[in-house]
Amino acid sequence: MAGVLSLLVAVGSGFAIATIRHVEGHITRLDVGKDCKGEGCLPDVDPICIRKACTFLVLGSDSRQGLTRRQQRVLGSSKWTSGQRSDTIILVQVDVQNDRTVVLSIPRDLRVPIPGHGLNKINTAFNFGPNLMVKTVEQLTGLQINHYVQVNFTGFERLVNAVGGIPVCIYKPLVDKVSQLKLPRAGCYNLRGSTALAFVRARHIEGDAIPDFSRISRQQQFMRALIEKALSLGSVFHLPELVRAVQRNLIVDKNMNIYALQDLTRKLGRLGQRRVSFRIVPAVPLRLNGVDYLQLLEPQATSLFHRMRQGKALGNFGREAPLTPLSPANITVQVLDANSGGRAQQVVGYLERAGFVVLPVRVAPSTLTRSVILWGRTEAKPSEVVAAYFNSLDIVHTNHHTRGSIVTVVVAPDFPALEGV
C-alpha cells in the first residue's frame, strides 16, 4: 500500500519520459464513467475534482495471485482464502488549494452498510467488486472518489524492493508469529519484501489492545518513513524491479496518468512532511454475535468527514485511536543542538526513520546544556511517544523553548547512544 504512495510521490522527482512511458505500459487500468458496465468498470469514480481537492481510494488487496509456494505457506493460498477482501483501505485527499494532503485510514473491521448486502465489515465490500468498494466508501464519508489504486501482496513486496527497502526505527521488539514478523530488538531496520509486508499487516503484537488500530498506527509510521525516503535525493528506483512490481499487481482507473501526477508530486515535495496529515476514522470496538467489529464514533466521525469535504482544519478529529498510543506519524519534533558535536543530525535521521515529522535543527539556547525532552502542553501523550525512543531522557514540562504541540529534543554531548543505529 505504502509502496503505491511512494510511486506517486517519487515519479515527480526525476523519471525520464521514456521511463514513465515504459512503466505506464505495464499498469492494468479499469474503465470509469456512468455508462461503463462489467467487472472491470468503475461507474462511481468521477475524475472531476472538487475545490482542486482530488481524492484517491488506495486499496491493499489480500489476493494471493503471484505468490511463491513459500509465501503461500505464510500468507495462505487461494485454496484456503476464498474470495477477496481489502486488507488495507486508505483515502488520500490531495488538497492543493489548502496546501495539504490528508491520508485517512479506514479500519477494515469497521461495521458499515454495504449497498445491497446489509451491514458488515467494510473490507467485505471488495468481494463484490471494486466499484462496490468505491460506493461503500463514498456512502460512508460523503467524499467523491476521483481515482482508484489497488495493489496485492506481491505488488507491495516488489514496490518496496524497487526503492531498496524502507528504513524504519522501532522502540521495542516487534514479533508476530502469525504474520512471521521478526524484529527481535529495538533500533533500526531496512525493511524489504516479506518483512515489510509483515510489518504493515501484523495484528498479533504483544501489548496491542486493539489490533486493527495498532496495525494502522504502524502503517502510518511506515508511510512517513517511506515518503521521507522517496523525497530524499538518494532515493533511486530500479526500473526492472519497478516494472515487475506493477505488472499484474497494480490496478488503477484509466484516468490515472503518471504524466499528470508529475507536477502535482513536485508541489507536494516542496510542501514537505508537515503538510501531510495522517488520520484514522474515529471508531470504537463492538462485539456482536461473537464477532469483533468496530463501529463509528459519533459525532467525531461525521465532523472529520465534513471538515475533509469542506477543506477545513481537521483539529484533533481522527488523530488517535482508543487504547492505542499516538502514531509517530502525527507527532512533530524540534531538535535543538546544544554543542552535540554532530549527534543532533544523527538524532534527526533516527526520528525520521521512526516516522516522526522532524523540523530543521536549530541551535539550542546557551541555558540548555543537557539532553532532555521538553514539552509545553498539559496533554503529554506526544512527548511520551518520543520518550519511548529515548528512554534514558527526562521529560520536562516547561513553557520555555517549546511551541504549541511540538515536542522538543535537546541534544547535548551527554546524549546516549542510539539503540541499533
Side-chain angles (χ1 to χ4, degrees), residues 149-400:
V149 181
Q150 173 188 325
V151 64
N152 60 21
F153 290 162
T154 303
F156 174 86
E157 291 190 8
R158 289 177 175 175
L159 280 164
V160 170
N161 288 341
V163 299
I166 305 302
V168 171
C169 298
I170 55 177
Y171 70 90
K172 67 175 184 178
L174 295 178
V175 177
D176 181 349
K177 293 181 180 178
V178 177
S179 69
Q180 295 203 2
L181 176 65
K182 297 177 183 178
L183 303 179
R185 57 169 176 78
C188 299
Y189 298 83
N190 188 49
L191 303 184
R192 298 179 62 93
S194 59
T195 303
L197 181 62
F199 182 87
V200 298
R201 295 192 70 238
R203 288 167 58 91
H204 301 85
I205 300 290
E206 184 179 350
D208 287 355
I210 304 177
D212 211 12
F213 289 157
S214 297
R215 187 178 86 135
I216 285 175
S217 177
R218 284 188 289 271
Q219 289 174 351
Q220 292 175 343
Q221 176 187 15
F222 183 90
M223 283 189 281
R224 276 280 188 212
L226 185 149
I227 294 171
E228 185 64 37
K229 177 165 184 177
L231 293 176
S232 70
L233 294 177
S235 180
V236 178
F237 278 78
H238 304 286
L239 183 58
E241 289 188 31
L242 183 58
V243 172
R244 285 194 295 272
V246 301
Q247 195 170 19
R248 295 187 299 277
N249 299 311
L250 184 66
I251 299 173
V252 301
D253 67 89
K254 72 172 186 180
N255 293 309
M256 275 279 288
N257 187 303
I258 293 182
Y259 294 103
L261 284 168
Q262 277 191 295
D263 181 57
L264 177 60
T265 51
R266 287 193 188 100
K267 291 176 182 176
L268 291 176
R270 287 196 295 268
L271 292 176
Q273 287 271 36
R274 289 197 71 186
R275 306 304 296 178
V276 181
S277 177
F278 286 87
R279 300 295 161 125
I280 181 174
V281 172
V284 291
L286 169 69
R287 189 168 182 81
L288 192 63
N289 299 324
V291 179
D292 291 321
Y293 297 92
L294 294 170
Q295 68 175 357
L296 286 178
L297 177 63
E298 298 290 7
Q300 290 90 328
T302 296
S303 297
L304 175 61
F305 300 149
H306 172 75
R307 291 183 179 214
M308 288 182 65
R309 291 195 302 269
Q310 299 299 317
K312 295 181 179 179
L314 302 182
N316 285 323
F317 293 116
R319 190 163 174 259
E320 61 180 305
L323 303 177
T324 304
L326 190 62
S327 171
N330 284 320
I331 300 174
T332 300
V333 181
Q334 174 70 72
V335 174
L336 297 181
D337 188 348
N339 298 313
S340 69
R343 184 71 63 84
Q345 202 58 51
Q346 184 185 20
V347 171
V348 168
Y350 178 69
L351 288 168
E352 287 175 342
R353 294 192 295 276
F356 294 94
V357 178
V358 188
L359 304 178
V361 175
R362 295 170 56 197
V363 176
S366 58
T367 53
L368 297 176
T369 58
R370 70 183 183 95
S371 299
V372 68
I373 297 172
L374 304 179
W375 177 242
R377 291 284 185 93
T378 55
E379 199 274 319
K381 288 182 181 178
S383 62
E384 291 169 355
V385 173
V386 175
Y389 287 83
F390 308 114
N391 52 30
S392 64
L393 296 187
D394 293 330
I395 302 177
V396 176
H397 182 258
T398 176
N399 291 322
H400 299 292

Side-chain angles (χ1 to χ4, degrees), residues 9 26 49 61 74 86 91 97 123 234 251 269 271 279 300 333:
V9 172
H26 290 81
C49 303
S61 164
V74 176
S86 46
L91 275 183
Q97 188 170 296
N123 70 335
I251 299 173
L271 292 176
R279 300 295 161 125
Q300 290 90 328
V333 181

Side-chain angles (χ1 to χ4, degrees), residues 130-160:
N131 190 67
L132 190 63
M133 191 73 217
V134 169
K135 185 179 292 187
T136 302
V137 172
E138 288 181 338
Q139 179 177 281
L140 170 68
T141 64
L143 289 160
Q144 172 66 56
I145 304 302
N146 305 118
H147 291 291
Y148 176 90
V149 181
Q150 173 188 325
V151 64
N152 60 21
F153 290 162
T154 303
F156 174 86
E157 291 190 8
R158 289 177 175 175
L159 280 164
V160 170

